[in-house]
């Protein structure tokens, strides 16, 4: 890809109750989430780069994230929430996108606190490892699921949280082959990108032995990256998808990376102290450099599930994975050489890789020191784990 990039962030957050328990699909109601969202401002009439959707749930920068249950005629029957998502407008720099997200995250935290809830960035449900459709899907829902790989596996996202980091390169145009190649490149190098974000070291109420239960469970079944093409453009067949048609004109040309774990945008979302902020912007910089790079030739239409599971389990303790992360960081830095706006972000990534510092590592250290598990109320710590 060539030229300057434009950026957007979609930021999924879990919600904690006052006692520290996760407000999940089994206990969180749509009315609770709607009460928070209702206090936040609507999209301005001039906002054309954000999609609202058929159900009208996404009429703000903040909206309920979860699973839509449909009746036999395709009408919305009920909405099962898993948390709240924030999305930014499109910005001309990674720093501007991150700053806009941070401002909206602080606003959300203030409003949510009035309702007894706290947004937090964790990658995987610390207790429940699956979401079961109850009642089972009806004939219309089964037909929707058969329509695409992502609809078929949509239930997996109910126990996971993570950002969609969006980039577009206006100078590179909207050639479907160029966009598909960019998504295939990110898909290939995804196992070496995701460790910076790992924030899912707990599963079933305890440490599961790795750093990202989210990556282990869903990457492979779900896409690592997607490119958005003009309506009518031919779609490469793949499972999961690599390309899809844009829903609004502003989506055409977007390249979306979907495999990172949840990352804190502001300090209050950090599940363990010491991480600081700036990682989301740094990851946007990393993606920018990797897509600008013309030296790395790896491409895949679908994620390497086995490689992601190895990364999720061992992280940078694996020498091969560490070497791969160094390679993508080096290629990105070379492609962005001479652009001072990216230097601090690259330094942050270089420092964390050098120290093997991940959110998951800090969460585990906190747990070993008696700090508990984020999303598990202290009184419930001794109860049997749910799977």
């Amino acid at each position: 890809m060539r030229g300057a990039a434009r950026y957007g962030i979609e930021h999924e957050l879990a919600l904690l109750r006052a006692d520290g328990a996760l407000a999940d699909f089994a206990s969180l109601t749509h009315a609770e989430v709607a009460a928070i969202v209702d206090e936040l401002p609507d999209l301005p009439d001039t906002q054309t780069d954000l999609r609202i959707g058929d159900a009208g749930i996404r009429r703000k920068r903040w909206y309920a994230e979860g699973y839509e249950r449909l009746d036999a005629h395709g009408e919305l029957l009920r909405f099962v929430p898993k948390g709240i998502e924030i999305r930014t407008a499109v910005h001309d720099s990674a720093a501007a996108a991150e700053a806009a997200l941070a401002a909206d995250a602080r606003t959300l935290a203030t409003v949510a606190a009035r309702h007894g809830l706290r947004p937090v960035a964790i990658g995987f449900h610390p207790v429940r490892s699956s979401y079961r459709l109850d009642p089972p899907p009806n004939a219309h829902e089964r037909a929707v699921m058969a329509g695409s790989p992502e609809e078929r596996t949509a239930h997996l996202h109910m126990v996971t949280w993570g950002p969609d980091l969006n980039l577009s390169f206006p100078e590179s145009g909207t050639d479907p082959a160029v966009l598909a190649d960019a998504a295939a490149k990110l898909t290939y190098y995804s196992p070496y990108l995701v460790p910076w974000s790992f924030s899912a070291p707990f599963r079933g109420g305890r440490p599961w032995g790795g750093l990202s239960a989210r990556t282990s469970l869903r990457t492979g079944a779900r896409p690592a990256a997607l490119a958005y093409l003009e309506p009518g453009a031919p779609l490469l067949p793949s499972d999961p998808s690599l390309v899809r048609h844009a829903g609004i004109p502003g989506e055409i040309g977007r390249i979306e990376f979907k495999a990172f774990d949840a990352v804190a945008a502001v300090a209050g979302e950090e599940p363990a102290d010491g991480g600081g902020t700036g990682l989301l912007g740094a990851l946007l910089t990393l993606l920018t450099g990797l897509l600008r790079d013309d030296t790395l030739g790896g491409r895949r239409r679908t994620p390497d599930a086995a490689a992601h599971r190895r990364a999720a389990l061992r992280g940078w303790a694996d020498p091969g994975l560490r070497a791969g992360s160094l390679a993508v960081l080096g290629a990105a830095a070379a492609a962005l050489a001479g652009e001072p706006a990216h230097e601090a972000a690259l330094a942050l990534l270089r420092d964390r890789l050098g120290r093997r510092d991940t959110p998951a590592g800090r969460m585990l250290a906190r747990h070993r020191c008696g700090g508990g598990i984020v999303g598990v109320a202290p009184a419930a710590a001794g109860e049997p784990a749910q799977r």
Side-chain angles (χ1 to χ4, degrees), residues 1-367:
M1 307 299 286
R2 67 180 187 276
R6 304 194 75 209
Y7 303 94
I9 303 173
E10 299 168 61
H11 183 48
E12 283 187 337
L13 293 162
L15 294 169
L16 301 185
R17 298 197 183 277
D19 65 356
L22 192 70
D24 66 359
F25 54 80
S27 65
L28 184 65
T29 67
H30 183 246
E32 286 182 282
V33 180
I36 297 171
V37 174
D38 283 348
E39 293 190 34
L40 299 163
D42 287 341
L43 290 173
D45 293 338
T46 55
Q47 191 78 64
T48 60
D49 54 0
L50 297 178
R51 182 162 42 162
I52 293 176
D54 295 336
I57 293 170
R58 296 172 176 85
R59 55 189 177 82
K60 305 191 176 191
R61 293 194 302 276
W62 309 260
Y63 59 89
E65 178 66 9
Y67 197 97
E68 297 178 6
R69 297 304 309 267
L70 307 176
D71 66 17
H73 306 289
E75 298 297 322
L76 182 64
L77 184 63
R78 69 177 181 278
F79 186 87
V80 184
K82 70 166 189 176
I84 289 182
E85 182 159 322
I86 310 171
R87 56 185 176 164
T88 72
V90 177
H91 292 270
D92 290 330
S93 72
E98 186 175 39
L101 177 65
D104 284 350
R106 286 189 287 269
T107 300
L108 172 61
T110 298
V111 174
R114 294 201 287 265
H115 295 265
L117 292 165
R118 174 196 162 200
V120 66
I122 56 174
F124 195 81
H125 197 302
V127 177
R128 306 179 197 275
S129 293
S130 63
Y131 170 69
R132 183 170 60 90
L133 295 180
D134 184 19
N138 58 39
H140 180 85
E141 290 176 315
R142 291 196 299 274
V144 170
M145 291 176 184
S148 77
E150 286 64 61
E151 292 291 350
R152 190 188 69 244
T153 58
H155 63 285
L156 294 178
H157 90 286
M158 290 296 285
V159 294
T160 70
W161 293 266
D164 290 341
L165 298 189
N166 304 317
L167 303 89
S168 60
F169 293 81
E171 290 182 32
S172 294
T174 58
D175 184 328
V178 172
L179 294 171
D181 183 73
K185 185 175 187 179
L186 295 185
T187 298
Y188 181 91
Y189 290 103
S190 175
Y192 309 115
L193 298 170
V194 293
W196 273 283
S197 72
F198 283 164
S199 63
F202 304 113
R203 181 175 181 174
R206 59 179 65 90
W208 71 278
L211 298 173
S212 179
R214 179 188 191 273
T215 299
S216 183
L217 173 73
R218 63 175 274 163
T219 306
R222 303 281 287 174
L226 282 170
Y228 288 78
L229 312 183
E230 295 179 348
L235 299 180
L236 295 171
S238 62
D239 188 348
S241 300
L242 182 71
V243 295
R244 64 172 51 166
H245 290 137
I248 58 173
E251 284 184 339
I252 298 171
R254 175 186 295 179
I255 303 156
E256 184 175 78
F257 191 77
K258 305 176 71 68
F260 288 129
D261 280 13
V263 173
V266 292
E269 295 170 358
E270 180 69 43
D273 293 336
T277 55
L279 183 56
L280 280 168
L283 294 174
L284 278 171
T285 288
L286 180 62
L287 297 177
T288 304
L290 185 56
L291 289 175
R292 291 258 205 93
D293 161 75
D294 59 6
T295 66
L296 298 178
R299 303 291 191 273
R300 281 186 65 100
R301 287 192 182 184
T302 59
D304 185 334
H308 281 88
R309 285 193 293 269
R310 288 195 300 273
L313 182 63
R314 299 199 61 202
W316 286 320
D318 183 293
L321 185 77
R322 194 165 64 252
S325 294
L326 280 167
V328 296
L329 180 57
L336 297 171
E339 299 185 33
H342 295 296
E343 290 176 358
L346 294 168
L348 183 152
L349 297 176
R350 195 173 295 112
D351 174 68
R352 293 202 180 186
L353 175 56
R355 295 186 291 112
R356 304 186 193 178
D357 176 20
T358 65
R362 294 191 299 276
M363 293 164 73
L364 287 168
R366 177 179 181 271
H367 175 65

